[in-house]
Amino acid sequence: MALTALKVKNARPGSHADVHGLRLFVRESGTRSWALRIQHERERRDFGLGAAHDVSLAEARLLAADLRKAVRAGVDLSARKGRARKSVPTFEKVTRDCYEAMKGGWKDQRHASWIFSFERHVFPHIGSKPVTAVDSAAVLTVLEPIWLKIPDTAKRVLQRIGTVLDFAHIKGLVPEEVSLRSVTRGLPRQNHRVTHRAAMPHEAVPAFMKALWALPSTLGRDALRLTILTAVRSNETRKATWGEFDLDKAVWSIPAARMKMKEAHVVPLAPAAVNLLRSIHRRHLELHGTVNPDGFLFSVSRGKPISDMTMLKVLRDMNIVDATVHGFRNTFTDWVAECTNVPKEVADKALAHRIPNAVEAAYRRTDFFDRRRVLMNEWAEFLLG
């Protein structure tokens, strides 16, 4: 019995014959594709004709008829198919081209995470597929193993795959835009739980700082000390250069290019932070004879800054397993709320948080510098007694 449009729509998983060798293949996932099965010169050959959601039954029959005519005319279909396959780049190739085209406008740390998510979660499944063959069903095979296990990453992967397919369409590699809106309908509902960086309770920090200060100076320990004293992000400490500091005025000026929000941030330094920086400065002079304004404070070999793990390793070596480096910013926030009368907007400015309300941000011109200097001095006194 020949197929009908209704049969195509409702066909169950398996192979379904139409006429003259045309067959509909339905996978367990529900995806449907056409193929023409031809017996020619004692050899059976199958030729794919596309997905059923792109190629209707009538169109599949026309394509099948053209292929049969070509076979009877002696056309080398294998060579033609090979040339067509070679002309369509793989999904991995298009992804890397998209990455190269877009990365110029990204922050440094995003480069590695963007392409790494593809290398780890996407390419093993669909990287070798022609980009024209990547549809919702293919993307579903990528997401199923990670959708509940690492939900935030899975959502980012879905969004990034969509970006690559949009790029492929703009470049003329995919004839029509590929919609991924229906992919999540084939996945279970995620449990939306907000997770926070593990933070040390503010009551426990003075004892921890006393233990940290008693240890000999190392790159990781000094970087962690400065990070906690100034309540900055770890990345801002790792890549700090000597030219950003005015120790006589007790000021650290971080340029906009190094800030998460791309806005310059001036940090008032407490006396304890200045003393720490002067001791680090003296060691640099003793080791190198000079201090390069463009040189990193915390540098490993070849002039590279220390890694993200260097400060975390200090915590783990001290058997602190329930706190992270970034978590000390949360500790600072809790301390301000519990132990001071400082307004939230001053604490937010100390943390270089962006004001979410655009109107409020436009009218708030002050950076509360003098009030933040008092606040950071009190924070250092609380930390070090």
Side-chain angles (χ1 to χ4, degrees), residues 27 58 102 113 120 231 246 288 369:
R27 296 184 177 87
M102 295 172 53
S113 66
R120 182 169 186 179
D246 187 334
H288 307 292
F369 182 82

Side-chain angles (χ1 to χ4, degrees), residues 212 220-221 224 309-318:
L212 177 62
R221 290 168 187 164
L224 182 59
M309 293 301 298
T310 305
M311 285 184 273
L312 182 61
K313 185 177 183 300
V314 174
L315 293 175
R316 299 300 179 255
D317 289 345
M318 296 176 68

Side-chain angles (χ1 to χ4, degrees), residues 78-150:
S78 61
R80 188 171 75 176
K81 184 177 179 181
R83 287 194 300 270
R85 184 184 294 115
K86 183 177 284 189
S87 66
V88 179
T90 65
F91 181 77
E92 179 174 350
K93 174 65 167 58
V94 176
T95 298
R96 295 192 183 278
D97 290 344
C98 176
Y99 167 73
E100 291 297 328
M102 295 172 53
K103 71 177 184 180
W106 292 342
K107 301 174 184 176
D108 291 343
Q109 62 269 26
R110 191 180 174 192
H111 291 180
S113 66
W114 200 90
I115 199 66
F116 176 75
S117 65
F118 280 93
E119 291 172 343
R120 182 169 186 179
H121 303 296
V122 183
F123 293 159
H125 297 281
I126 62 173
S128 60
K129 280 179 172 288
V131 68
T132 52
V134 175
D135 54 12
S136 296
V139 176
L140 184 65
T141 64
V142 173
L143 297 178
E144 283 176 333
I146 61 175
W147 187 250
L148 295 179
K149 187 177 180 181
I150 42 176

Side-chain angles (χ1 to χ4, degrees), residues 133-182:
V134 175
D135 54 12
S136 296
V139 176
L140 184 65
T141 64
V142 173
L143 297 178
E144 283 176 333
I146 61 175
W147 187 250
L148 295 179
K149 187 177 180 181
I150 42 176
D152 290 339
T153 298
K155 288 179 180 178
R156 283 193 291 270
V157 166
L158 174 59
Q159 184 269 330
R160 290 167 181 174
I161 292 175
T163 299
V164 173
L165 293 176
D166 288 343
F167 175 83
H169 174 60
I170 292 170
K171 293 295 184 180
L173 302 173
V174 176
E176 296 180 0
E177 291 187 63
V178 179
S179 174
L180 300 179
R181 290 193 299 271
S182 62

Side-chain angles (χ1 to χ4, degrees), residues 263 349 354-366:
E263 295 177 0
K349 198 65 181 179
R354 174 172 288 174
I355 302 171
N357 186 299
V359 176
E360 183 183 356
Y363 280 94
R364 186 186 293 170
R365 302 294 183 181
T366 180

